[in-house]
Amino acid sequence: MAIIETEAALHEAHRDNHTHRDVNGGWLRPAVFGAMDGLVSNLALMTGVAGGQAGQHTVVLSGLAGLAAGAFSMAAGEYTSVASQRELVEAELDVERRELRKHPQDEEAELAALYQARGVEPELAREVARQLSRDPEQALEIHAREELGVDPGDLPSPAVAAVSSFGSFALGALIPVLPYLLGASALWPAVLLALLGLFLCGAVVARVTARTWWYSGLRQLVLGGAAAGVTYALGSLFGTAVG
């Protein structure tokens, strides 16, 4: 009796401790990458303009313009992308819904075949498919998950995607502009703050990856710094050529 209770306790402990990372990233991944995108692109834009020997006013104006243009562009693109994807999924769901209504037996047999392909015994697979097909909405949900890989009740919202994309990009793009808005007159405070932001974004990304926080942070800092350095050099080259 004691052995059985011990095994049960070990099984319960294993079940409680058996957790996985959020491999989809949830809201964290798109939010952090949106902010990172805004940070890198606006930092690169501002350093490129500064490299062309533009004045402080021009650099700040380019940063604010880059923030607005990038945020609206990201929001519009994300809305269109998610809306198009949702419309495609809904069209496929309508096809599946019609098939379930017109050919219920064929769809039930198709579902049974899917379970058999995954190793379920034929008789059991047919019985499971029969029971699950009793409710048309449940059958639609199961067919959608098995055949399309989507959950009909959890489709992404274009509006939510657009707003979150706008906000995260704008937040990241604001970082290199912030020192100027607070009274800085040189480029280096904006670069330092932006690089710090890149490191922090990279470190946060480590929450949804298997990398250590300092590795992810340092990698993003190097990549963002390289982008800013290249655009500064190009700005200097173009500024000299135009001048």
Side-chain angles (χ1 to χ4, degrees), residues 3 7 12 17 33-34 65-66 79 88 94 106 120 148 151 165 219 228 230 234:
I3 295 176
E7 290 179 349
E12 186 67 25
N17 294 328
F33 277 97
Y79 183 93
L88 175 61
D94 286 340
D106 292 342
V120 180
L148 302 176
D151 184 350
S165 180
R219 178 177 59 182
V230 169
L234 290 174

Side-chain angles (χ1 to χ4, degrees), residues 148-170:
L148 302 176
V150 298
D151 184 350
D154 191 28
L155 297 181
S157 167
V160 171
V163 170
S164 60
S165 180
F166 181 95
S168 60
F169 185 96

Side-chain angles (χ1 to χ4, degrees), residues 76-92 155-159 161:
E78 195 70 14
Y79 183 93
T80 302
S81 175
V82 174
S84 299
Q85 181 184 11
R86 181 175 181 129
E87 289 165 0
L88 175 61
V89 171
E90 288 176 342
E92 292 300 314
L155 297 181
S157 167

Side-chain angles (χ1 to χ4, degrees), residues 108-109 111-112 115 124-134:
E108 182 179 320
L111 188 60
Y115 290 136
L124 178 58
R126 287 191 294 271
E127 178 60 21
V128 171
R130 185 187 66 81
Q131 293 188 27
L132 293 177
S133 299
R134 290 173 179 171

